[in-house]
Every structure is written in structure tokens, then in C-alpha cells.
Amino acid sequence: MAVRATVSRFPMDPDASDNSGLPWGVTVTPFSGTDENGGQPTYGSGGDLLPRCENCYAYFNTYCELEQWAWSCSLCGTLNGLSSQNIGRYSHPQSCPEMMSSFIDLEMPLEGSEAEAMQARPVYVAAVDLSSSEEFLELTKSALQAALEALAPGSLFGLATFSHKIGLYDVQGPIPVVKNVFIPQDSEHTLPIELEDVMPLLQFLAPVDTCKDRITAALETLRPTTSWERTTGAGQGLDGVLMGGRGFGVAMEALLNYLGSEYGNTFALARVFAFLSGPPDYGAGQLDTRRYGEQYASKGEDADRALLPEQTPFYKDLAAVAVQAGVCVDIFAVTNEYTDLASLKFLSIESGGSLFLYSNPDDSTLPQDLYRMLSRPYAFTCVLRLRTSSEFKPGHAYGHFFPDPQYENVQHIICCDSYATYAYDFDFANTVGFSRNASEQPVLQIAFQYTVVVPPEDLSTSGLVSASRSKYSLQRRLRIRTLQFGTAQKVDELYDSVDPEAVLSLLVHKVILASLEQGVREGRMLLHDWLVILTAQYNDTYKILQYKNGNSITAQVDAAFSQCPQLQPLPRLVFALLRNPLLRFHEEGVHPDYRIYLQCLFSALEPSSLHRAVYPVLTSYSTPDTKAYPRHSLSRAALITSGSPIFFLDAFTTLIVFYSSTADPTLPFPPPHDCLLRTTINKLKQDRSITPKLIFIRGGQDDSTAFENYLIEEQDVDGSGLTSVMGFVSFLEDISQSVVEYMK
């Protein structure tokens, strides 16, 4: 569980927090195998025996004061009695994880072990769009072949298709058999028959270890629906327009109900991979994509506001059905036409899934992404709870979860991998703030209860039959991290404790929320104004600004934070965020679906990955085996002055190796597979949550546009397209001028 605070020393009181201009909060990556420093939790059992505070329900931890018969809660100070069982337990502290570490992971008891073993079989269902092209289906087949290689023996797999009808495949017989049920064209009607009546679920879900070849054979039979099928099956839509016959909404609703009937019996978690080649335009859940284009333009609507909210609650309501059914939905959209991901996204992110967008099948990393997703461990049926000491409290929570309807500050996460990150900001509970007594420091406790599937052990040596190997078991665990923070007596001490990447995470969540509620323009203004206020507060704290006659500033504003190294990255990060498609205007050519994809991606990234996605890391090499400089600014000037022949840019989703036009022609291009640069690239790709595209460019010979587009510091931050009008230097001058206006 990695936890990163925006400031490692908390503000003393509300005035100090307001005067600093900094966001105050934390990011949490609960299923990360280590903490933010690489430390591992102390493992143990007896999670159900861990004492809890009678007042605030916090768990006993190493910061609590322990007496012979009682303990004092480190969060609220309440004195709690100890049971006789715990008195005996704590007489041997070396055997108790909670006495040895503030980061623990304890096993919880499960009842009915034999029944649980049956429930634990992992279930995966592919839902494939047949209202598509041959190229789309070839890519989808490749992705599912990769998935079959990643799935563990004992997993169950189902293949379904959708268009103007739903197809269910039975692959457990000698040849694949598909049974179809037609989708009503009317958006008000559901299927005339339940899928269970079309094909029993256990006939649909096939064991991967015995049916892999038959599943592969079934995949090879997939063909796009023909224009004749669409004409007769889908018919005419609104205004006589031929509908595509993509009944995605009905298909997903039916599949969720189909799977939900066996939740807790056949499976504990099912994952649906939905492969989509365009917008749902048939039956219930169909989306009107005409709003992208002349629809809002003719009404004078702001495109940056009109295209961000969902146009129907259908998919948000469907996400609630998925959660109740124990089903996680991942959407893989392979399309360059407007698909209205603003409406579809809820089905994936609220069910614990991911949303992927690929503009075309040709250079898509879909097979690698799906294999990578299935190869890493994940937890499910998770509950995340954050508690604080009594002086402060959680404010807003951000991330891909659904909040508990009854309890505050409790989030439910149906599926969580080791990369998934959430964020919280804090408020003071009163005007007093924290005590200046060093022994009473702010405490934060994060509890993460989750379930994992434990693969069957190799039982060959025990003489048991091989069938036992397909028996998976569930394990419920409780992971707790308790942290104690110092406080800053002065604002400059607060500035010295800043974590710029954690600040960026909170800022991105806030501007996404502002964009969704009030439009992209409002999100940009919020970000710009925040930097102006922070710069003004910093200049005031360090007494950089001089006043004459009460209001005239006679000293130059320090917009580069030259006296505080911890704040220095922030102007560049804000500048880059304003340049990012996340916050660029619609008229600048940002596709609304791509913006939604970035919102979903950025709001789940841990801080270091988000930093790369917003402001890429540019390093240089003198040879493929020799690093020259570890970090350059994203400017053409930096390339020229460094004199290095090779540059490597890590933009999280894209990796670019660029050889300058002046590079020695004897340098091997592309870099050899056994060199330092390639080793670095391979490690980055291996550690990444998604598969980055790798591009090699030779300056002077290849098109360098892909690389040069990332050199943003000489570019216009307002998007007029005129270089050098508002590059980074001009941006700092604009911030300085805005500070002068703000301080008047």
C-alpha cells in the first residue's frame, strides 16, 4: 500500500493551510505490494482478532499506547479495554504483526471452505461487436488468443457476440455451436427471453484447460454482420437513417443478469471484456451521436461542456447492476468515430474495470494490454476506508469506485490491481487545528479489506487426482497502513515538505471534476488561478514582494520559486497540463472520446506515472550504452545545448528514441537489443500498467513530428498555433503579471 501526501508536514491550522495555497491530501495505491519506499507489509493471520477503538473504530497500531489491561487509540485518544485473549496475545509482541509494523496484511477467516473453493473459479466472458470490420475482428481474435494464454488452468471462459442479436457459444461439444436471440429495436424493450433459457450458464462457461482449442476454433468463425443482415435486422432509425445494429446496451444488460444468477455460487468475481467498434445505436442504451457536430453548434452550445456529461443514465444504472452481480466490465473501444465514451465510461470505471481507446486496429496494443491485464494479480470485493485523527477529516474522495450508501469515507472497489490509485483531500474539523505539542501528531489510517484467488497448489506429490488442481480457494485479507505526520510551524516549512507529484495528482482530479461539472474552460481557469494564488502566497511568505504606498509592488515577482526547490517543478507541470489534450479546447481538434479516455486514465494513475503522462521525462545518451544527462526540459534549446546525439522520451503511453540529425552515422540505429538504452526501455515496459508504443526516429531522415510535438516549452499554451507567443518563459511572465493584479 503506497501512500503519498501532498505535504509530508501538515499545516498547523486552517489559516496556515489557506495561506500556503497548496492542496492538502494523499494518494493511495492500496493493492501495491510495497509502500512508497519499497517496504513490504508484515504478514500474519488473525485479522478478525485485531482490537478496534470503541469510539472511532480505528484498528490498534504501533502508534497506540499499550498498558497492561488497555490501550489508547492513536487517532482519537480513547482508552479501550483489552480482551483476555488479546492480553495473552500481546504478552508475546514478537509474534504479532500489529506490534511489529505500522504496515500489516492479515488473513481473515472464511467460513465453508469447500463451498468457497467452488466459488473461486475465475470467470471471464468476451463480448464481441459483430457490427464491425474484418480488421476489428482480426485484432479482437488476436487479443483473445493472448488472453487464453494468460488465463490460469481452472478458469472458465464464455464467448458472446452482439449486433442486432446476441450470440452465445457452446464450445464444450465436438464443434462450436452458437445460439442467437434477437434484440428488440425499440429502446424501451428488453430481450423476449432470458439468456439462461437460451443456454444454461454452465454450458456457456467452458473450462479453459480442456476447451482452449475449441474456444480458438469458435473465434475463427466470427464474421462481421453483412449489410444485408443489418438492413433486415436493424432497419431504419430516426429520420430514415439506417441504424448500424449495434445493440451493446441490451447485450450487456442481458449478460450481467445472466452471470449474476450464479454470483457466489459458480464464481466470486467475473470479468467481462467488451470489444466495441463504434457507438451503441440499436435497442435500449442506444446513443445519439449527432450531438457531436452540428447538433450543439447550431444551438450555440459550448462543445467543451456539451460533450463531457453523459446523455443517458442507462450505463451508470447498468454499472450498479454489474456491482450487484459481482461482475467487472472492461471496455476496449477500437474506433475513430464518435462513440460517446462520456456515457459508456461508468459501466467500466464504477464496476472496477478499465476503459481503453484505440484509434485504429493497425497499430493497436490491444493484445498486449489484455495479456498484461490478466497476468498481474488483482484483488476483488474490496472495501477501502480512510480514518484520521480527530483534528482533521477527509473531504472529497477521487477514483474509480462506488461510495458506500450508508457509511461516510467508505469506498467499494469491485476489482483492484496493484496500479489502481485513489486520492483524498483533507479539511480541518475545527478552527483550532493541531496541537503544538510534539507528542500529539496527526495520524492517518487506511484499512483495505479485499479478497484474492489463491491458485491450487501442485498436488502431484501427494498422490491426489489431477482434477483437484482446478480447485481454487478464496482468501480474505485485511491490509492496514497507519502513518504519523509532523506539522509545519511556518508556511515555508510546509513548502519544503511538498511532494510535487502528489500535488499534481490532486490537481488533476480537481480539474477533471471542474471540467465535468462546468466545462473545460472552467477547469483551465481553476488551474491557472491556483498557480497564481500559490505564487502570490509564496512570494509573500519569502518577503519577495515589496509594497509602496500600500499597494504598489516594487520588486519583481518570483514565478519560478527560486528559493524553494520543492515548489520549482509545479509551474512546468501546470504549463504542461494546460497543453495536454485533457484541457485543450474542442476547437483545437481534441476528440471528445479521447478526452474522456484521458480522464479515466489519469484519474487512476499513481503520481509518478501521472507525472510522465503530463510532463514526459527526456534523457540523453552519448552512445546506446552511455547515459549523458538524466533529465532535460522539453525544449528545442535543451536538445541543442546538450550536444548529445541520442534522446529518449518517456511519455508513459509512448516511448520515443530520437537520434539527432548531427549524430555520428556510425552509431547503431535502432539501438542494439543488449545495450543500456534497450534494457531501460524493456524495464519500463515491463513495469507499466499499459503497453506503451515504442517509436524510433532518425532526425533528418524520418518524420520527427511525433517527437517534436512533446517539446512544448516553446509552444503556445493557449493553443493559437503560433510558436513563441506563449512558451514557458512567456507563461511565467503571464503568471507574474496575474500575481501583481491579484495582490493589488
Side-chain angles (χ1 to χ4, degrees):
M1 182 186 292
V3 180
R4 294 178 63 173
T6 56
V7 284
S8 59
R9 301 181 69 179
F10 284 2
M12 283 296 302
D13 51 43
D15 287 342
S17 182
D18 293 342
N19 291 338
S20 73
L22 291 167
W24 178 29
V26 293
T27 66
V28 182
T29 312
F31 197 54
S32 169
T34 63
D35 64 20
E36 61 282 359
N37 299 314
Q40 293 188 331
T42 300
Y43 291 93
S45 58
D48 57 320
L49 303 176
L50 198 60
R52 300 186 68 176
C53 177
E54 297 170 359
N55 177 48
C56 70
Y57 301 104
Y59 292 91
F60 177 84
N61 57 83
T62 55
Y63 297 107
C64 296
E65 293 184 7
L66 182 63
E67 301 175 16
Q68 186 175 3
W69 309 104
W71 60 281
S72 297
C73 177
S74 60
L75 277 76
C76 69
T78 300
L79 185 66
N80 299 274
L82 281 172
S83 67
S84 56
Q85 185 179 23
N86 279 320
I87 290 172
R89 177 181 169 91
Y90 293 146
S91 63
H92 303 284
Q94 67 279 3
S95 63
C96 301
E98 66 269 27
M99 295 283 284
M100 300 164 60
S101 173
S102 59
F103 181 19
I104 58 174
D105 200 323
L106 306 179
E107 189 173 343
M108 302 281 283
L110 277 174
E111 296 179 4
S113 58
E114 198 62 39
E116 295 290 351
M118 287 298 294
Q119 294 174 25
R121 299 194 76 176
V123 167
Y124 303 92
V125 173
V128 182
D129 180 2
L130 295 187
S131 299
S132 58
S133 64
E134 287 281 2
E135 293 79 10
F136 170 86
L137 284 181
E138 286 304 313
L139 176 66
T140 301
K141 291 174 190 177
S142 298
L144 288 174
Q145 288 285 9
L148 289 174
E149 296 304 316
L151 296 182
S155 302
L156 299 176
F157 182 86
L159 176 62
T161 59
F162 62 90
S163 55
H164 59 282
K165 57 187 177 182
I166 299 172
L168 301 178
Y169 280 76
D170 177 3
V171 297
Q172 299 189 58
I175 58 170
V177 175
V178 59
K179 293 186 178 180
N180 295 301
V181 54
F182 285 88
I183 297 173
Q185 182 175 334
D186 192 334
S187 62
E188 300 298 319
H189 291 88
T190 55
L191 287 181
I193 185 173
E194 295 289 336
L195 295 186
E196 180 68 30
D197 296 328
V198 177
M199 183 182 294
L201 184 60
L202 293 180
Q203 185 179 337
F204 171 68
L205 296 175
V208 171
D209 44 349
T210 57
C211 297
K212 186 180 292 186
D213 292 343
R214 294 171 188 171
I215 295 169
T216 299
L219 290 174
E220 292 305 318
T221 67
L222 298 182
R223 297 286 183 273
T225 51
T226 64
S227 57
W228 179 84
E229 284 180 294
R230 295 188 194 190
T231 304
T232 56
Q236 303 293 315
L238 298 172
D239 304 325
V241 178
L242 182 66
M243 315 238 337
R246 188 177 291 111
F248 176 70
V250 176
M252 295 308 296
E253 185 175 41
L255 279 173
L256 292 175
N257 290 330
Y258 190 30
L259 292 167
S261 63
E262 286 294 311
Y263 175 44
N265 185 20
T266 301
F267 66 88
L269 172 75
R271 298 189 74 162
V272 171
F273 305 128
F275 299 92
L276 196 61
S277 69
D281 58 5
Y282 184 80
Q286 61 186 268
L287 299 172
D288 182 2
T289 56
R290 294 175 303 168
R291 72 176 189 160
Y292 178 47
E294 71 279 357
Q295 185 182 24
Y296 60 83
S298 62
K299 297 179 181 178
E301 292 183 48
D302 180 356
D304 296 301
R305 296 187 67 175
L307 298 172
L308 285 170
E310 69 275 20
Q311 62 172 288
T312 170
F314 181 88
Y315 292 97
K316 198 165 189 174
D317 294 342
L318 205 52
V321 175
V323 169
Q324 290 298 316
V327 179
C328 166
V329 181
D330 297 289
I331 296 177
F332 302 91
V334 187
T335 176
N336 59 4
E337 65 175 310
Y338 177 56
T339 304
D340 194 9
L341 296 184
S343 296
L344 296 174
K345 68 178 181 182
F346 297 101
L347 180 57
S348 60
I349 63 175
E350 292 199 358
S351 70
S354 299
L355 175 68
F356 292 83
L357 176 65
Y358 308 93
S359 59
N360 63 75
D362 298 334
D363 60 350
S364 168
T365 57
L366 171 56
Q368 298 94 318
D369 285 338
L370 188 53
Y371 182 87
R372 191 180 295 255
M373 174 191 291
L374 293 174
S375 299
R376 57 180 178 254
Y378 57 84
F380 55 95
T381 321
C382 313
V383 181
L384 184 64
R385 175 68 192 257
L386 182 142
R387 292 181 174 88
T388 64
S389 48
S390 53
E391 302 90 349
F392 69 116
K393 60 184 180 180
H396 205 286
Y398 307 90
H400 299 175
F401 52 69
F402 60 99
D404 189 279
Q406 185 176 357
Y407 299 104
E408 281 189 322
N409 307 318
V410 176
Q411 284 79 38
H412 295 268
I413 306 164
I414 194 168
C415 187
C416 180
D417 66 22
S418 56
Y419 295 98
T421 301
Y422 310 88
Y424 300 85
D425 53 24
F426 298 138
D427 296 318
F428 278 97
N430 52 54
T431 58
V432 177
F434 297 115
S435 167
R436 295 187 179 273
N437 184 345
S439 64
E440 298 179 18
Q441 293 183 312
V443 177
L444 182 68
Q445 186 177 84
I446 300 149
F448 181 62
Q449 195 169 138
Y450 64 97
T451 300
V452 288
V453 173
V454 181
E457 296 178 0
D458 187 354
L459 302 175
S460 57
T461 56
S462 65
L464 297 179
V465 293
S466 60
S468 300
R469 296 181 191 176
S470 65
K471 297 278 187 178
Y472 281 66
S473 59
L474 295 182
Q475 194 175 93
R476 190 71 174 166
R477 301 195 70 89
L478 174 63
R479 180 173 293 186
I480 299 173
R481 181 90 190 275
T482 310
L483 302 98
Q484 192 175 65
F485 292 88
T487 52
Q489 302 294 325
K490 299 178 182 177
V491 174
D492 57 343
E493 294 177 7
L494 203 59
Y495 289 151
D496 288 337
S497 74
V498 163
D499 179 341
E501 292 182 337
V503 169
L504 175 65
S505 290
L506 265 291
L507 287 178
V508 165
H509 282 295
K510 289 176 183 292
V511 297
I512 288 175
L513 189 61
S515 299
L516 290 171
E517 291 179 347
Q518 298 173 289
V520 172
R521 198 173 303 274
E522 186 65 29
R524 292 177 64 88
M525 288 175 57
L526 172 72
L527 190 61
H528 180 276
D529 291 350
W530 172 81
L531 184 58
V532 169
I533 294 169
L534 175 67
T535 307
Q537 304 287 44
Y538 156 81
N539 278 266
D540 191 46
T541 297
Y542 283 87
K543 310 300 181 190
I544 296 168
L545 303 182
Q546 307 294 323
Y547 298 93
K548 187 176 181 180
N549 300 326
N551 59 10
S552 177
I553 300 175
T554 60
Q556 188 172 0
V557 174
D558 177 10
F561 301 102
S562 59
Q563 296 189 33
C564 183
Q566 292 303 109
L567 294 178
Q568 287 172 14
L570 292 175
R572 272 192 166 85
L573 293 176
V574 170
F575 174 80
L577 194 50
L578 290 167
R579 289 282 312 157
N580 194 280
L582 182 77
L583 289 177
R584 296 289 286 269
F585 292 120
H586 176 75
E587 57 265 27
E588 295 178 62
V590 179
H591 196 289
D593 283 341
Y594 184 60
R595 193 193 306 278
I596 294 296
Y597 162 70
L598 288 181
Q599 287 182 356
C600 295
L601 175 65
F602 286 8
S603 57
L605 291 180
E606 54 86 27
S608 295
S609 297
L610 181 60
H611 187 172
R612 282 170 161 74
V614 171
Y615 191 93
V617 174
L618 180 63
T619 55
S620 62
Y621 289 75
S622 51
T623 72
D625 269 313
T626 311
K627 183 180 282 189
Y629 295 98
R631 195 81 184 236
H632 295 279
S633 60
L634 299 178
S635 66
R636 289 174 175 81
L639 268 62
I640 296 168
T641 56
S642 75
S644 300
I646 304 171
F647 294 89
F648 172 54
L649 184 133
D650 178 4
F652 188 72
T653 56
T654 306
L655 305 176
I656 300 177
V657 176
F658 177 79
Y659 279 49
S660 73
S661 56
T662 58
D664 187 335
T666 62
L667 286 172
F669 178 86
H673 285 281
D674 58 349
C675 69
L676 173 65
L677 178 52
R678 283 280 196 163
T679 303
T680 302
I681 290 170
N682 291 337
K683 186 173 190 315
L684 286 172
K685 291 173 70 174
Q686 183 179 352
D687 294 341
R688 200 133 294 181
S689 58
I690 61 174
T691 308
K693 291 182 181 178
L694 178 59
I695 303 172
F696 296 100
I697 300 174
R698 197 160 199 165
Q701 297 182 32
D702 305 326
D703 183 359
S704 301
T705 305
F707 178 68
E708 291 172 353
N709 283 344
Y710 286 103
L711 304 179
I712 60 174
E713 295 205 5
E714 287 101 352
Q715 295 179 15
D716 170 20
V717 78
D718 287 330
S720 68
L722 301 173
T723 57
S724 301
V725 173
M726 184 69 117
F728 182 60
V729 174
S730 300
F731 173 72
L732 290 183
E733 291 173 355
D734 173 70
I735 294 296
S736 297
Q737 186 58 42
S738 298
V739 169
V740 172
E741 296 296 320
Y742 175 77
M743 298 292 282
K744 281 184 178 178

